Amino acid sequence: MSLRSPLGRVLGLGTAKDGTSHWWAQRVSGVALVLLGLWFAISIANLPSLGYDDVVAFAGELPNPVLLILLCVT
């Protein structure tokens, strides 16, 4: 059991400025997920069928693989 006050325990531990970069990263990734999620949902809804051949053809078109990788990474 410590006899130090709560203020005495936190003094000297540094500032709480580390959260700013984490906050910005959350906001940017949230916006990216919304945009990429909408693109993915609309793209899947516009496929003629969800058969293997159609999905492979969709994933093979030029902007789609890049956007799919960004969606997975985000």
Side-chain angles (χ1 to χ4, degrees):
M1 178 172 186
S2 174
L3 297 177
R4 296 178 69 188
S5 70
L7 179 62
R9 276 182 264 168
V10 298
L11 286 177
L13 293 179
T15 63
K17 294 182 181 178
D18 293 334
T20 306
S21 62
H22 182 71
W23 185 85
W24 273 109
Q26 280 186 329
R27 297 311 179 261
V28 169
S29 66
V31 169
L33 279 174
V34 166
L35 295 175
L36 290 169
L38 285 172
W39 162 80
F40 183 70
I42 291 169
S43 296
I44 293 298
N46 287 334
L47 284 177
S49 71
L50 291 178
Y52 179 77
D53 294 332
D54 291 329
V55 173
V56 169
F58 166 75
E61 295 173 7
L62 184 57
N64 295 337
V66 174
L67 294 174
L68 286 170
I69 290 170
L70 286 175
L71 179 64
C72 290
V73 169
T74 303

